[in-house]
Amino acid sequence: MSKAEEQPVPAGIDIEPVTAWLANAVSAAGGSVAPPLHFDQIAGGRSNLTFQVTDVAGTSWALRRPPTGNVLASAHDMGREHRVMSALAPTLVPVPTMVGLCDDESVTGAPFYVMDWVEGTVVRNRRVAATFDEATIKAMCRSVVETMAKIHQVDIDEVGLGDFAKREGYVARQLKRWKGQVDATSMPTVPAIERAFDELSASIPDQGVARLVHGDYRLDNTIVGADGAVLAVLDWELTTLGDPLADLGAMLTYWSRPGDSYVALTDPPTLADGFIERDEVVSIYEDAIGRSVGNVGYYHAFATWRLACILDGVVDRYRAGAMGKDDDFDADGWASQVTTLAESALESLHAS
Protein backbone atom coordinates (compact mmCIF):
# COMPACT_ATOMS: atom_id res chain seq x y z
CA MET A 1 0.00 0.00 0.00
CA SER A 2 1.38 3.46 -0.92
CA LYS A 3 1.95 6.27 1.54
CA ALA A 4 -0.82 8.22 -0.19
CA GLU A 5 -3.19 5.33 0.47
CA GLU A 6 -1.99 4.86 4.05
CA GLN A 7 -2.53 8.40 5.21
CA PRO A 8 -6.02 9.42 6.36
CA VAL A 9 -7.79 11.28 3.59
CA PRO A 10 -7.85 14.94 4.66
CA ALA A 11 -11.19 16.72 4.45
CA GLY A 12 -11.32 18.79 1.28
CA ILE A 13 -8.59 16.89 -0.59
CA ASP A 14 -9.12 14.22 -3.26
CA ILE A 15 -5.56 12.90 -3.32
CA GLU A 16 -5.27 11.28 -6.75
CA PRO A 17 -6.78 14.11 -8.86
CA VAL A 18 -4.87 16.75 -6.90
CA THR A 19 -1.64 14.81 -7.37
CA ALA A 20 -2.21 14.63 -11.11
CA TRP A 21 -3.04 18.33 -11.33
CA LEU A 22 -0.01 19.38 -9.29
CA ALA A 23 2.34 17.19 -11.32
CA ASN A 24 1.12 18.83 -14.52
CA ALA A 25 1.37 22.35 -13.08
CA VAL A 26 4.88 21.88 -11.71
CA SER A 27 6.03 20.16 -14.92
CA ALA A 28 4.76 23.11 -16.98
CA ALA A 29 7.08 25.36 -14.95
CA GLY A 30 10.05 23.08 -15.57
CA GLY A 31 9.95 21.19 -12.28
CA SER A 32 8.84 17.76 -11.16
CA VAL A 33 6.76 16.07 -8.48
CA ALA A 34 7.68 12.75 -6.88
CA PRO A 35 4.45 11.01 -5.78
CA PRO A 36 2.91 9.92 -3.51
CA LEU A 37 2.08 13.21 -1.85
CA HIS A 38 1.41 13.76 1.82
CA PHE A 39 -1.09 16.43 2.92
CA ASP A 40 -0.93 18.11 6.33
CA GLN A 41 -3.56 20.67 7.25
CA ILE A 42 -1.84 23.68 8.76
CA ALA A 43 -3.20 24.69 12.14
CA GLY A 44 -4.10 28.30 12.81
CA GLY A 45 -6.25 29.21 9.82
CA ARG A 46 -9.88 30.06 10.66
CA SER A 47 -11.18 30.69 7.17
CA ASN A 48 -9.77 29.04 4.06
CA LEU A 49 -8.04 25.68 4.49
CA THR A 50 -4.28 25.51 3.98
CA PHE A 51 -2.29 22.32 3.49
CA GLN A 52 1.42 21.61 3.33
CA VAL A 53 1.86 19.21 0.42
CA THR A 54 5.09 17.20 0.46
CA ASP A 55 6.36 14.66 -2.05
CA VAL A 56 8.71 11.74 -1.34
CA ALA A 57 11.71 13.81 -2.47
CA GLY A 58 11.00 16.26 0.36
CA THR A 59 9.77 19.14 -1.80
CA SER A 60 6.86 21.06 -0.28
CA TRP A 61 4.15 23.33 -1.58
CA ALA A 62 1.23 25.11 0.05
CA LEU A 63 -2.32 24.42 -1.18
CA ARG A 64 -5.24 26.74 -0.35
CA ARG A 65 -8.91 25.95 -0.82
CA PRO A 66 -12.24 27.11 0.68
CA PRO A 67 -13.76 25.38 3.70
CA THR A 68 -15.80 22.26 2.99
CA GLY A 69 -19.58 22.43 3.01
CA ASN A 70 -21.72 25.51 2.42
CA VAL A 71 -19.79 28.79 2.62
CA LEU A 72 -20.78 32.43 2.28
CA ALA A 73 -20.62 33.83 -1.23
CA SER A 74 -17.51 35.88 -2.15
CA ALA A 75 -15.76 35.11 1.14
CA HIS A 76 -13.50 32.39 -0.29
CA ASP A 77 -12.49 33.42 -3.81
CA MET A 78 -9.32 31.52 -4.66
CA GLY A 79 -8.89 33.36 -7.95
CA ARG A 80 -8.60 36.71 -6.18
CA GLU A 81 -5.84 35.53 -3.86
CA HIS A 82 -3.94 33.95 -6.73
CA ARG A 83 -4.30 37.03 -8.92
CA VAL A 84 -3.04 39.42 -6.24
CA MET A 85 0.06 37.41 -5.34
CA SER A 86 0.87 36.80 -9.00
CA ALA A 87 0.64 40.55 -9.65
CA LEU A 88 2.86 41.37 -6.67
CA ALA A 89 5.64 38.99 -7.68
CA PRO A 90 7.78 41.71 -9.36
CA THR A 91 7.22 44.31 -6.61
CA LEU A 92 8.95 44.95 -3.27
CA VAL A 93 6.13 43.12 -1.46
CA PRO A 94 7.37 39.63 -0.49
CA VAL A 95 4.95 36.91 -1.60
CA PRO A 96 5.32 33.18 -2.33
CA THR A 97 5.82 32.12 -5.95
CA MET A 98 2.56 30.89 -7.46
CA VAL A 99 2.50 27.39 -9.01
CA GLY A 100 -1.01 27.60 -10.41
CA LEU A 101 -4.76 28.04 -9.93
CA CYS A 102 -7.26 25.23 -10.47
CA ASP A 103 -10.84 26.37 -11.04
CA ASP A 104 -12.06 22.91 -12.05
CA GLU A 105 -14.17 21.85 -9.08
CA SER A 106 -14.19 18.23 -10.26
CA VAL A 107 -10.58 17.89 -9.06
CA THR A 108 -11.28 18.25 -5.35
CA GLY A 109 -14.73 19.78 -4.93
CA ALA A 110 -13.74 23.46 -5.02
CA PRO A 111 -11.27 25.82 -6.70
CA PHE A 112 -7.79 25.88 -5.16
CA TYR A 113 -4.34 27.24 -5.81
CA VAL A 114 -0.84 26.06 -5.03
CA MET A 115 2.25 28.11 -4.24
CA ASP A 116 5.85 27.38 -3.35
CA TRP A 117 6.51 26.60 0.29
CA VAL A 118 8.39 29.40 2.09
CA GLU A 119 10.67 28.22 4.89
CA GLY A 120 10.48 30.47 7.92
CA THR A 121 8.39 31.08 11.01
CA VAL A 122 4.78 32.14 11.45
CA VAL A 123 4.75 33.93 14.79
CA ARG A 124 1.30 32.86 15.98
CA ASN A 125 1.65 33.14 19.74
CA ARG A 126 3.88 34.10 22.66
CA ARG A 127 5.57 30.71 22.74
CA VAL A 128 6.81 31.16 19.18
CA ALA A 129 7.69 34.81 19.79
CA ALA A 130 9.81 33.76 22.79
CA THR A 131 12.14 31.82 20.46
CA PHE A 132 13.44 35.18 19.18
CA ASP A 133 15.60 37.52 21.26
CA GLU A 134 14.35 41.02 21.95
CA ALA A 135 16.65 42.67 19.39
CA THR A 136 15.24 40.40 16.69
CA ILE A 137 11.69 41.12 17.86
CA LYS A 138 12.35 44.84 17.50
CA ALA A 139 13.59 44.21 13.95
CA MET A 140 10.52 42.05 13.31
CA CYS A 141 8.19 44.83 14.45
CA ARG A 142 9.83 47.29 12.09
CA SER A 143 9.83 44.84 9.18
CA VAL A 144 6.16 43.88 9.49
CA VAL A 145 5.09 47.54 9.61
CA GLU A 146 7.37 48.61 6.76
CA THR A 147 6.15 45.67 4.67
CA MET A 148 2.58 46.88 5.14
CA ALA A 149 3.69 50.28 3.87
CA LYS A 150 5.19 48.59 0.79
CA ILE A 151 1.78 47.06 0.04
CA HIS A 152 0.21 50.51 0.19
CA GLN A 153 2.85 51.99 -2.10
CA VAL A 154 2.23 49.53 -4.96
CA ASP A 155 1.14 51.19 -8.21
CA ILE A 156 -2.08 49.25 -8.71
CA ASP A 157 -2.36 50.20 -12.39
CA GLU A 158 1.23 49.25 -13.16
CA VAL A 159 0.84 45.74 -11.71
CA GLY A 160 -2.52 45.13 -13.41
CA LEU A 161 -4.77 45.49 -10.38
CA GLY A 162 -6.39 48.78 -11.29
CA ASP A 163 -9.66 47.02 -12.08
CA PHE A 164 -9.46 44.62 -9.15
CA ALA A 165 -12.26 46.37 -7.25
CA LYS A 166 -14.05 49.68 -6.96
CA ARG A 167 -11.70 52.41 -5.80
CA GLU A 168 -14.11 54.71 -4.06
CA GLY A 169 -16.24 54.27 -0.95
CA TYR A 170 -14.08 51.54 0.58
CA VAL A 171 -15.25 51.79 4.19
CA ALA A 172 -18.91 52.05 3.19
CA ARG A 173 -18.53 48.97 0.99
CA GLN A 174 -16.83 47.06 3.79
CA LEU A 175 -19.50 48.00 6.30
CA LYS A 176 -22.20 46.78 3.93
CA ARG A 177 -20.30 43.59 3.09
CA TRP A 178 -19.58 42.48 6.66
CA LYS A 179 -23.01 43.40 7.96
CA GLY A 180 -24.40 41.29 5.12
CA GLN A 181 -22.15 38.39 6.07
CA VAL A 182 -23.34 38.57 9.67
CA ASP A 183 -26.96 38.67 8.57
CA ALA A 184 -26.39 35.59 6.39
CA THR A 185 -25.20 33.38 9.25
CA SER A 186 -27.33 31.37 11.65
CA MET A 187 -25.75 33.06 14.69
CA PRO A 188 -27.90 35.01 17.19
CA THR A 189 -28.07 38.79 16.71
CA VAL A 190 -25.37 40.69 18.62
CA PRO A 191 -26.76 44.12 19.63
CA ALA A 192 -23.30 45.71 19.84
CA ILE A 193 -22.58 44.74 16.22
CA GLU A 194 -25.79 46.47 15.18
CA ARG A 195 -25.03 49.65 17.17
CA ALA A 196 -21.43 49.85 15.99
CA PHE A 197 -22.55 49.40 12.39
CA ASP A 198 -24.93 52.34 12.69
CA GLU A 199 -22.35 54.62 14.34
CA LEU A 200 -19.51 53.68 11.99
CA SER A 201 -21.78 54.21 8.98
CA ALA A 202 -22.68 57.69 10.21
CA SER A 203 -19.07 58.91 10.64
CA ILE A 204 -17.02 57.56 7.71
CA PRO A 205 -13.88 59.69 7.09
CA ASP A 206 -13.11 61.06 3.64
CA GLN A 207 -11.05 58.55 1.66
CA GLY A 208 -7.81 59.57 -0.03
CA VAL A 209 -6.20 57.94 -3.07
CA ALA A 210 -7.23 54.29 -3.39
CA ARG A 211 -4.46 51.82 -2.65
CA LEU A 212 -4.10 48.07 -2.45
CA VAL A 213 -5.53 46.96 0.90
CA HIS A 214 -4.52 43.54 2.23
CA GLY A 215 -7.64 43.31 4.36
CA ASP A 216 -6.25 41.10 7.15
CA TYR A 217 -2.73 42.33 7.71
CA ARG A 218 -1.09 41.19 10.94
CA LEU A 219 2.08 39.52 12.16
CA ASP A 220 0.77 35.96 12.00
CA ASN A 221 -0.25 36.40 8.36
CA THR A 222 3.42 36.72 7.48
CA ILE A 223 6.41 34.39 7.44
CA VAL A 224 9.55 35.81 9.03
CA GLY A 225 13.17 34.75 8.84
CA ALA A 226 15.64 34.14 11.65
CA ASP A 227 16.59 37.82 11.56
CA GLY A 228 12.97 38.93 11.96
CA ALA A 229 12.58 40.16 8.37
CA VAL A 230 9.30 39.40 6.61
CA LEU A 231 9.89 36.74 3.93
CA ALA A 232 6.31 36.44 2.68
CA VAL A 233 2.88 37.96 3.24
CA LEU A 234 0.06 35.41 3.27
CA ASP A 235 -3.75 35.20 3.38
CA TRP A 236 -4.82 37.73 0.73
CA GLU A 237 -8.44 36.53 0.66
CA LEU A 238 -9.86 39.87 1.84
CA THR A 239 -7.73 42.04 -0.44
CA THR A 240 -9.37 44.90 -2.29
CA LEU A 241 -8.74 48.51 -3.32
CA GLY A 242 -9.50 51.33 -0.96
CA ASP A 243 -8.31 53.17 2.12
CA PRO A 244 -4.92 51.87 3.35
CA LEU A 245 -5.57 53.16 6.85
CA ALA A 246 -7.99 50.26 7.24
CA ASP A 247 -4.96 47.94 7.23
CA LEU A 248 -3.24 50.08 9.85
CA GLY A 249 -6.40 49.97 11.97
CA ALA A 250 -6.50 46.18 11.65
CA MET A 251 -2.88 45.89 12.70
CA LEU A 252 -3.61 47.98 15.79
CA THR A 253 -6.58 45.74 16.62
CA TYR A 254 -4.44 42.61 16.45
CA TRP A 255 -1.45 44.28 18.15
CA SER A 256 -2.54 43.31 21.67
CA ARG A 257 -0.76 44.88 24.62
CA PRO A 258 -0.86 44.28 28.37
CA GLY A 259 -3.94 45.89 29.91
CA ASP A 260 -6.17 45.59 26.84
CA SER A 261 -9.84 44.80 27.48
CA TYR A 262 -9.82 42.13 24.77
CA VAL A 263 -7.46 39.99 22.74
CA ALA A 264 -8.05 39.54 19.03
CA LEU A 265 -6.18 36.24 18.92
CA THR A 266 -6.07 33.25 21.25
CA ASP A 267 -2.54 34.01 22.50
CA PRO A 268 -1.33 37.20 20.82
CA PRO A 269 2.41 37.13 20.08
CA THR A 270 2.62 40.88 20.64
CA LEU A 271 2.09 40.32 24.38
CA ALA A 272 5.59 38.80 24.52
CA ASP A 273 8.56 40.79 25.81
CA GLY A 274 10.19 43.05 23.27
CA PHE A 275 7.16 44.09 21.20
CA ILE A 276 6.62 47.79 20.66
CA GLU A 277 3.56 49.85 21.62
CA ARG A 278 0.79 50.79 19.21
CA ASP A 279 1.92 54.41 18.95
CA GLU A 280 5.34 53.16 17.81
CA VAL A 281 3.61 51.06 15.13
CA VAL A 282 1.93 54.20 13.83
CA SER A 283 5.20 56.14 13.95
CA ILE A 284 7.11 53.52 11.92
CA TYR A 285 4.31 53.44 9.37
CA GLU A 286 4.32 57.23 9.04
CA ASP A 287 8.08 57.21 8.50
CA ALA A 288 7.74 54.51 5.85
CA ILE A 289 5.08 56.36 3.83
CA GLY A 290 6.54 59.80 4.44
CA ARG A 291 3.51 61.51 5.92
CA SER A 292 1.34 61.76 9.02
CA VAL A 293 -1.82 59.66 9.17
CA GLY A 294 -3.57 61.80 11.78
CA ASN A 295 -6.19 60.21 14.04
CA VAL A 296 -6.45 56.49 13.30
CA GLY A 297 -9.03 55.89 16.03
CA TYR A 298 -11.92 55.46 13.57
CA TYR A 299 -10.00 52.82 11.63
CA HIS A 300 -9.07 50.99 14.82
CA ALA A 301 -12.76 50.90 15.77
CA PHE A 302 -13.80 49.83 12.28
CA ALA A 303 -11.24 47.01 12.24
CA THR A 304 -12.35 45.76 15.65
CA TRP A 305 -16.00 45.74 14.56
CA ARG A 306 -15.10 43.95 11.33
CA LEU A 307 -13.15 41.34 13.28
CA ALA A 308 -16.28 40.71 15.37
CA CYS A 309 -18.19 40.10 12.13
CA ILE A 310 -15.50 37.80 10.74
CA LEU A 311 -15.33 35.80 13.96
CA ASP A 312 -19.12 35.50 13.97
CA GLY A 313 -18.89 33.81 10.58
CA VAL A 314 -15.98 31.59 11.61
CA VAL A 315 -17.87 30.29 14.64
CA ASP A 316 -20.93 29.68 12.46
CA ARG A 317 -18.89 27.70 9.90
CA TYR A 318 -17.13 25.71 12.63
CA ARG A 319 -20.40 24.71 14.25
CA ALA A 320 -21.69 23.67 10.83
CA GLY A 321 -18.67 21.37 10.38
CA ALA A 322 -17.17 23.31 7.46
CA MET A 323 -13.75 23.98 9.01
CA GLY A 324 -12.34 20.48 9.28
CA LYS A 325 -11.11 18.98 12.53
CA ASP A 326 -9.70 21.48 15.03
CA ASP A 327 -9.88 20.32 18.64
CA ASP A 328 -8.22 23.52 19.86
CA PHE A 329 -10.98 25.81 18.62
CA ASP A 330 -13.26 26.91 21.47
CA ALA A 331 -16.41 27.86 19.58
CA ASP A 332 -18.35 28.97 22.68
CA GLY A 333 -15.45 31.04 23.96
CA TRP A 334 -14.97 32.77 20.61
CA ALA A 335 -18.71 33.38 20.32
CA SER A 336 -18.54 35.41 23.55
CA GLN A 337 -15.56 37.28 22.10
CA VAL A 338 -17.77 38.48 19.24
CA THR A 339 -19.75 40.60 21.69
CA THR A 340 -16.61 41.78 23.50
CA LEU A 341 -15.03 42.90 20.24
CA ALA A 342 -18.13 44.74 19.06
CA GLU A 343 -18.38 46.55 22.40
CA SER A 344 -14.67 47.42 22.22
CA ALA A 345 -15.24 48.85 18.74
CA LEU A 346 -17.86 51.17 20.18
CA GLU A 347 -15.46 52.23 22.95
CA SER A 348 -12.69 52.98 20.45
CA LEU A 349 -15.06 54.93 18.24
CA HIS A 350 -16.30 57.05 21.12
CA ALA A 351 -12.70 57.76 22.21
CA SER A 352 -11.51 58.81 18.73
Side-chain angles (χ1 to χ4, degrees):
M1 184 178 291
S2 71
K3 291 182 179 179
E5 294 171 326
E6 291 173 357
Q7 72 167 310
V9 178
I13 297 295
D14 195 343
I15 294 177
E16 290 188 8
V18 170
T19 298
W21 180 91
L22 182 59
N24 287 336
V26 172
S27 176
S32 62
V33 173
L37 301 180
H38 188 82
F39 296 82
D40 290 305
Q41 185 173 346
I42 298 172
R46 301 300 186 198
S47 184
N48 290 323
L49 305 180
T50 305
F51 298 86
Q52 181 177 7
V53 185
T54 306
D55 69 6
V56 294
T59 303
S60 288
W61 300 268
L63 182 152
R64 292 264 287 173
R65 61 148 292 157
T68 58
N70 295 324
V71 297
L72 297 175
S74 81
H76 309 279
D77 189 335
M78 298 294 97
R80 288 176 65 85
E81 285 193 64
H82 180 268
R83 178 183 173 186
V84 170
M85 285 187 279
S86 297
L88 292 176
T91 73
L92 295 177
V93 180
V95 291
T97 299
M98 295 295 102
V99 174
L101 168 70
C102 177
D103 55 12
D104 180 359
E105 296 189 11
S106 69
V107 175
T108 194
F112 66 91
Y113 70 88
V114 175
M115 54 191 169
D116 284 353
W117 185 260
V118 177
E119 289 293 343
T121 302
V122 176
V123 185
R124 297 195 187 281
N125 51 47
R126 279 179 286 186
R127 178 186 58 79
V128 177
T131 64
F132 296 87
D133 60 40
E134 289 198 22
T136 304
I137 287 178
K138 297 293 187 188
M140 187 188 303
C141 293
R142 178 167 293 276
S143 182
V144 74
V145 177
E146 291 179 342
T147 299
M148 178 174 62
K150 291 176 183 177
I151 295 171
H152 299 159
Q153 291 169 321
V154 167
D155 186 322
I156 55 178
D157 294 308
E158 185 175 300
V159 300
L161 294 174
D163 62 348
F164 189 67
K166 293 180 180 178
R167 301 189 183 205
E168 67 283 346
Y170 170 77
V171 173
R173 287 188 282 117
Q174 287 286 296
L175 286 166
K176 179 180 179 181
R177 173 186 179 179
W178 290 108
K179 182 59 164 57
Q181 300 281 32
V182 167
D183 291 344
T185 72
S186 58
M187 297 287 286
T189 298
V190 178
I193 286 182
E194 306 294 321
R195 292 197 304 274
F197 171 76
D198 291 339
E199 294 190 28
L200 287 164
S201 298
S203 56
I204 299 173
D206 292 335
Q207 177 182 302
V209 176
R211 300 288 184 182
L212 187 66
V213 178
H214 179 278
D216 195 22
Y217 192 82
R218 60 182 196 257
L219 176 58
D220 66 310
N221 275 341
T222 69
I223 298 173
V224 301
D227 61 353
V230 174
L231 302 178
V233 180
L234 308 174
D235 291 3
W236 295 84
E237 64 198 86
L238 300 179
T239 303
T240 188
L241 305 181
D243 194 330
L245 293 184
D247 272 347
L248 179 57
M251 174 171 277
L252 297 178
T253 293
Y254 286 110
W255 203 274
S256 298
R257 301 299 296 146
D260 286 354
S261 62
Y262 71 90
V263 292
L265 301 168
T266 304
D267 182 19
T270 56
L271 289 176
D273 292 340
F275 280 90
I276 62 178
E277 299 299 328
R278 288 188 178 98
D279 60 345
E280 295 175 87
V281 170
V282 175
S283 179
I284 292 171
Y285 180 77
E286 289 178 328
D287 288 345
I289 65 171
R291 64 178 178 85
S292 171
V293 296
N295 181 9
V296 297
Y298 177 92
Y299 297 93
H300 189 183
F302 164 70
T304 305
W305 172 84
R306 193 191 66 160
L307 178 59
C309 297
I310 292 172
L311 186 55
D312 191 70
V314 170
V315 173
D316 186 57
R317 291 193 297 277
Y318 182 85
R319 287 175 170 170
M323 295 303 300
K325 182 177 176 59
D326 187 348
D327 294 333
D328 294 330
F329 186 67
D330 178 7
D332 292 338
W334 281 112
S336 68
Q337 275 287 86
V338 170
T339 297
T340 301
L341 286 165
E343 291 173 346
S344 295
L346 284 166
E347 292 173 6
S348 296
L349 187 59
H350 296 160
S352 65

